[in-house]
Structure formats: structure tokens, C-alpha cells
Amino acid sequence: MGMSRLCYLNGEILPLDEARISPMDRGFLFGDGAYEVIPAYDGRPFRLPEHLRRLDQTLEGIRLPNPHSHAEWAAMIARLLEAAGGGDAGVYLQVTRGVPEVRDHAFPLDARPTVFMTVSPLPAPLGPEAGEGASAIRLRDNRWGRCDLKTTALLPNVLLRQEAIEAGADEALLLRDGQLTEGAASNVFVVCNNEVMTPRQSPNLLPGVTRDFVVELLRERGVPCQCSAISADQLARADEIWLTSSTKEVLPVTRLDGEPVGDGRPGAFWRQARTWFDEYKAAFAAGE
Ligand code: PDD
């Protein structure tokens, strides 16, 4: 892919290993910041307006004024992607509440937000011919009450994902009060009795950009998709389970707590969604 590791920090593009942030940064001290991960296909950021709208929602939710307009963000992201050499890549961006003189929980009066972005290669997604999917375990969702905000304070997500990894699985599927919320770093779809469903939006899950895209993709092509409560029982009986995220796109889960999901292979609904996703992506990358 020929991408040099570059980053953007407070107005400047520079090699990542030359970037310096103060240890007094509130992102470091408190996890006091917002972030986004935006996939780019052939150098073009995918669903950029949706990601920037969600960034606005997160910043509003944590009461941090957005230091840039959408047009400025778009220009900064384009500049960074171009400097990084285009191709398929993931743009990571974060905004923190900046660097105060002294550590104090209360918002600083003297700090300007820190703006950081970097670009990484995107892992190759699993194609429709995939023989095997991902594995997941179920865990209790012990996160806070504003999981709809994409904040950098991700310690619960980190611990949940690590528990999945140590159980030999790829992702944790989270249940709160007997209902499925999302994955540690992904949204979830299930197929039950030929019906595609995903948990209804609430403060307990991230409004995933990929999730909304997949719902739209299915509905436009005549496959109904319900956004509704999904019980632990429905999850346990699902014929198919999929994960969606900006880096995973749409990924089938074929083992849940060591047991096969459906027949243990990626399902027919997933294969269809994957194919439509790929077609859309190819057209997008070609500039259509
Ligand atoms: N995570 N839910 C959680 C908790 C997430 O962290 C993510 C994405 C998603 C999917 O959202 P989207 O489709 O907008 O990427 C859902 C990113 C990729 C990350 O933290 O790396």
C-alpha cells in the first residue's frame, strides 16, 4: 500500500514518531475527548458527513465546542489521506479538551482542544466466499449510560474485548438487562426466522455509521430490517449474527460461546449483504 505513517497534530502534518503531546493533555489524564474512525476507499472517505455529524453529537454530549467546521475537517482529512498516499485506509481522529496548567476535573479555562489524526491500513474484509467467520462470547454490558457518545474513555470496552480475546474469541457481545446492546467495538445484527434485526438506537449503544448504512442497503434492496429490542433468548437462537464497524464492514459471527451459530457457516443473508456492500464500495471508490 506504500503508506508512510503520517499524522496531523494541531494544524500540522508530520511523521507520527515526531508528534508530541503534553502528558497534561486531558485526553491522557481523563480520557476527556471524542474520536471517530472513518474508512477511506481508494483515498475517498466513506460516509464522511455521517461521521462528522456523529462527532458533533459526541462533542455536544461532552460539552466540548468543535474546533473545526465540517468543511475544515473534510479539507484536513483530504490533505492527510493525500499525504499518506491514498488507497484503502482508516482515518482515526480525536479531539481532546486540551492541556491545562494544573490537573483538575473541572473544565479548564486556559486550554485549547488538541486535534490529532492518523491514517492506518484497513484490514482486508472477509469476502462473500468466506468459509469461516468470527467468534464471539456473551458478556454483561457494564459500561456507562452514554454509550451513544464516541468518547476516548474506552476502558470498559478494552476490558470486555480483552476478556473475549482471552476466551479465544474475536469479539464480546454485550447484554444489558437481558437485551443485546452491541459489541465491544462493533454493532450487531441478528437473523431470526428469516428476519434481519439490529438493536434499536438508545443511549446504550453507539449509532454506528456502518450499522445505519447496512440497514439502508438492505431496505433499499427490499430486505426488511427491524430496529428493535433483541432479547438474550433471540440472540441465543439466531440463525445468523453479524458485526458491523468502519474497520470490519460487515462480518459474520459463526461461533457464540463456542457453539455454532446456525449451521456454523456464514449465512445466506450475510452473503447477500456482503455482496451489496462490495458493489456499493466499488462504485464509491470509482467516484460514482
Ligand atoms: N469502533 N460500537 C462501538 C462500541 C464501537 O467502538 C464501534 C466502532 C461501533 C461501530 O461504529 P461505526 O460503524 O460507526 O464504525 C459500534 C471503531 C471502529 C473503533 O473504536 O476502532
Side-chain angles (χ1 to χ4, degrees):
M1 207 170 332
M3 274 199 317
S4 39
R5 281 291 265 172
L6 287 176
C7 73
Y8 170 102
L9 182 61
N10 299 327
E12 228 193 311
I13 290 182
L14 72 170
L16 187 55
D17 58 11
E18 287 172 24
R20 297 287 175 269
I21 296 173
S22 167
M24 289 301 286
D25 194 281
R26 288 177 64 97
F28 181 67
L29 294 177
F30 295 113
D32 186 357
Y35 80 106
E36 280 294 327
V37 177
I38 307 166
Y41 300 124
D42 205 13
R44 302 183 66 205
F46 188 61
R47 303 256 130 173
L48 182 59
E50 287 81 358
H51 281 282
L52 293 177
R53 274 202 291 277
R54 186 174 61 188
L55 177 66
D56 285 337
Q57 289 164 14
T58 302
L59 288 171
E60 199 178 305
I62 68 170
R63 300 170 54 197
L64 175 54
N66 194 334
H68 296 294
S69 67
H70 285 198
E72 285 168 354
W73 278 114
M76 287 151 57
I77 290 167
R79 219 177 108 208
L80 181 62
L81 279 169
E82 202 185 309
D88 288 358
V91 176
Y92 175 86
L93 72 85
Q94 85 167 52
V95 182
T96 77
R97 213 178 306 269
V99 183
E101 283 289 320
V102 292
R103 179 182 176 278
D104 182 357
H105 289 63
F107 292 176
L109 301 172
D110 56 345
R112 274 181 302 111
T114 300
V115 177
F116 171 67
M117 295 198 280
T118 189
V119 178
S120 323
L122 276 179
L126 212 54
E129 298 318 317
E132 225 183 304
S135 59
I137 62 169
R138 283 163 290 193
L139 292 175
R140 192 172 66 82
D141 192 341
N142 58 4
R143 300 172 302 158
W144 70 328
R146 292 306 307 273
C147 294
D148 55 326
L149 303 178
K150 200 163 178 61
T151 77
T152 59
L154 287 172
L155 189 54
N157 305 63
V158 165
L159 293 173
L160 291 160
R161 169 64 69 80
Q162 187 60 24
E163 197 170 332
I165 299 299
E166 287 172 11
D170 302 304
E171 181 61 305
L173 299 187
L174 308 179
L175 291 150
R176 187 189 291 266
D177 302 327
Q179 288 187 0
L180 177 63
T181 55
E182 59 180 340
S186 53
N187 290 110
V188 187
F189 286 69
V190 303
V191 181
C192 279
N193 306 320
N194 294 315
E195 236 203 325
V196 186
M197 298 185 291
T198 190
R200 134 165 21 91
Q201 195 49 57
S202 84
N204 292 330
L205 59 134
L206 192 76
V209 172
T210 319
R211 167 193 184 269
D212 291 351
F213 173 66
V214 168
V215 170
E216 209 179 285
L217 199 60
L218 292 171
R219 287 180 179 166
E220 273 174 7
R221 284 157 184 75
V223 175
C225 179
Q226 289 286 334
C227 298
S228 57
I230 297 175
S231 67
D233 192 50
Q234 283 172 305
L235 177 65
R237 289 188 286 103
D239 299 312
E240 295 186 27
I241 301 174
W242 319 334
L243 305 176
T244 65
S245 83
S246 293
T247 50
K248 292 186 181 74
E249 300 183 346
V250 51
L251 178 70
V253 172
T254 52
R255 297 194 79 78
L256 184 62
D257 285 300
E259 297 293 322
V261 176
D263 65 5
R265 289 194 312 251
F269 279 90
W270 172 77
R271 207 169 316 113
Q272 181 59 264
R274 175 75 260 177
T275 302
W276 287 334
F277 199 121
D278 280 342
E279 286 168 5
Y280 194 100
K281 238 174 80 173
F284 176 81
E288 285 165 29

